Amino acid sequence: MRIKLAGGAALGVAAMLVLSSCGSGSGGSGSSGDQKASGGGQVTLKMVAADYGDGPGKPNSGETFWKGVVDEFQAANPNIKVDVQVINWNDIDKQVATMVQNGQVPDILQTGDYSGFAKDDMLYKVEEVLSPNVSGDMLQKFADFGKVDGTAYGIPFVSSARALFYNKDLFTKAGISEPPKTWDELKAAAEKLKKAGVSQPFGLPLGQEEAQAESFLWMLGNGGGYKDASGKWAINSPQNIETFTYLKGLVDAGLTTPNPGTKDRKTVWEDFGAGKVGMVNGGPMSIPIFDAAGLKDKYGVAPIPGKSGPLDTTLGVMDWIMAFNKNGHAAEIKKFFDFFYTGSAAQKISDTYKLLPVTNGGIQKLSSDEKLKPFLDALPNASFYPFQDPKWADLNPEIKQTIGGAVKDDPAKVLGELQKTADAG
């Protein structure tokens, strides 16, 4: 069960791609290729989609979801058939590459990246396959990442974000009245939790699974990040060194997960669900894990604390959907995309997979959900990994492997070594 998001950042959740779907759409004109145009008979759109796994208690939910979307779309558009092939994340890139090589290019592809196809001039521009009212409803910061040389080719498909989860029962036991908003408050709460017998006051997963995400959240809380405002690599900036010095202090005081550099988020999330952890950073995809472990309705969600106040941003992640231009079905694709983004799917994906929409309208539909509200509030101002920089592909694995050492050894030294990698070449 996983969702692969922008730049290969895995989210690790059973999340089906049902972002903002179902509704009515409109199309343009013109269609070519070996299939009949909409004016003269039925057109078949070939779609390839990534399989996000099974939703909680919902086996085969990927294919089931798409069948529901397609059946509803085809009922409203009887001259357009959509043939969906769902492929496992581990295989989709290789299989699509083979399709392209053999000239069997799909009309629609949903996966984790679009840029290579755009550079090879294989994709429609977004403006050709998405109505202005739909594209205008996209979260701007997300949509901007769908551009190559200023032209949009990738359409944001599904998203997620991060917030602070806290165990209400453990907070009550420790005499903590509200979630922390600052680092000082977080440390004070962790000390109370420890005194109350909580083995892991704060869950800190800095193991190889997703250390780059946990680290980034803490960097953002101190005005830092992997790059500075000018776009230069700044891994060992004074802000980041201060951040990891603070974290090292928590670790040394026994206020976190023991040996956080060896702990992956799945393990820490399961510990939180089992009532062993007082606080942890997580995403909507964490909720089914916590609920399945028996912690349902016993936890709260709040903005992530920063050094001087709650974060007004979050880690934003997303996948993409795109349209190939080889078969020429722009009008039919446009009808399908408009239908997909303007209806009830935002609620469906939230209910089933605890993922988030990429449209303002989708956010509004979910805004009454108390547990999702902190994520939704932060989405429009989300921050992203520097995945558009080619060096990120090399840096990301090294960060996963080594940055956990910054809370065990000298933070300046560990971050300095990563900085050298970023500056090399």
Side-chain angles (χ1 to χ4, degrees), residues 47 52 113 122 139 221 261 283 288 295 297 299 304 321 347 350:
M47 178 177 176
Y52 287 82
D113 189 28
M122 299 180 68
L139 297 176
L295 204 63
D297 299 326
Y299 58 83
I304 293 175
I321 195 166
Q347 185 68 53
S350 172

Side-chain angles (χ1 to χ4, degrees), residues 32 51 84-85 141 190 211 227 296 321 351 395 402 411:
S32 61
D51 184 3
V84 183
Q85 180 181 1
K141 292 191 73 171
K227 286 190 171 186
K296 189 173 184 179
I321 195 166
D351 291 345
L395 261 178
T402 66

Side-chain angles (χ1 to χ4, degrees), residues 137-390:
D137 192 39
M138 292 283 173
L139 297 176
Q140 191 61 49
K141 292 191 73 171
F142 285 74
D144 285 346
F145 279 100
K147 296 178 180 179
V148 174
D149 296 329
T151 299
Y153 295 94
I155 303 172
F157 184 72
V158 74
S159 71
S160 192
R162 303 298 165 89
L164 177 76
F165 288 82
Y166 60 97
N167 185 311
K168 292 181 178 180
D169 288 348
L170 295 182
F171 266 46
T172 299
K173 180 181 178 181
I176 305 169
S177 60
E178 61 181 12
K181 298 180 177 65
T182 67
W183 286 358
D184 286 344
E185 291 179 6
L186 186 149
K187 182 179 180 181
E191 290 172 340
K192 290 181 179 179
L193 288 164
K194 182 180 181 181
K195 187 176 181 180
V198 179
S199 60
Q200 297 181 56
F202 192 93
L204 187 63
L206 291 174
Q208 293 188 27
E209 182 185 357
E210 209 188 30
Q212 85 286 358
E214 185 72 19
S215 299
F216 190 43
L217 292 170
W218 286 97
M219 291 174 181
L220 291 172
N222 196 22
Y226 291 113
K227 286 190 171 186
D228 61 22
S230 69
K232 295 181 180 179
W233 291 103
I235 299 174
N236 68 337
S237 67
Q239 297 99 314
N240 290 346
I241 292 174
E242 182 184 26
T243 295
F244 277 90
T245 300
Y246 168 82
L247 289 175
K248 186 177 187 303
L250 295 182
V251 174
D252 290 345
L255 301 176
T256 70
T257 303
N259 302 311
T262 67
K263 299 296 192 302
D264 289 337
R265 67 173 189 180
K266 183 176 184 292
T267 301
V268 176
W269 286 354
E270 288 174 346
D271 283 348
F272 181 85
K276 300 176 183 178
V277 178
M279 300 173 280
V280 69
N281 292 328
M285 65 287 189
S286 314
I287 293 175
I289 296 175
F290 302 156
D291 290 351
L295 204 63
K296 189 173 184 179
D297 299 326
K298 296 181 180 179
Y299 58 83
V301 188
I304 293 175
K307 181 182 178 182
S308 57
L311 285 186
D312 62 356
T313 184
T314 185
L315 168 61
V317 283
M318 64 190 136
D319 283 338
W320 302 94
I321 195 166
M322 65 211 74
F324 286 84
N325 55 29
K326 182 178 186 295
N327 300 322
H329 300 306
E332 291 77 16
I333 294 170
K334 187 175 186 179
K335 282 190 175 183
F336 182 71
F337 280 173
D338 285 356
F339 177 92
F340 186 80
Y341 278 101
T342 55
S344 62
Q347 185 68 53
K348 290 179 182 177
I349 195 169
S350 172
D351 291 345
T352 306
Y353 303 99
K354 297 303 179 185
L355 285 177
L356 303 177
V358 291
T359 61
N360 291 295
I363 288 177
Q364 290 175 2
K365 291 175 184 177
L366 299 179
S367 60
S368 61
D369 189 319
E370 181 181 342
K371 289 181 179 177
L372 291 182
K373 192 174 187 305
F375 303 105
L376 298 171
D377 289 346
L379 267 183
N381 193 37
S383 298
F384 300 87
Y385 300 125
F387 61 86
Q388 291 181 309
D389 191 312

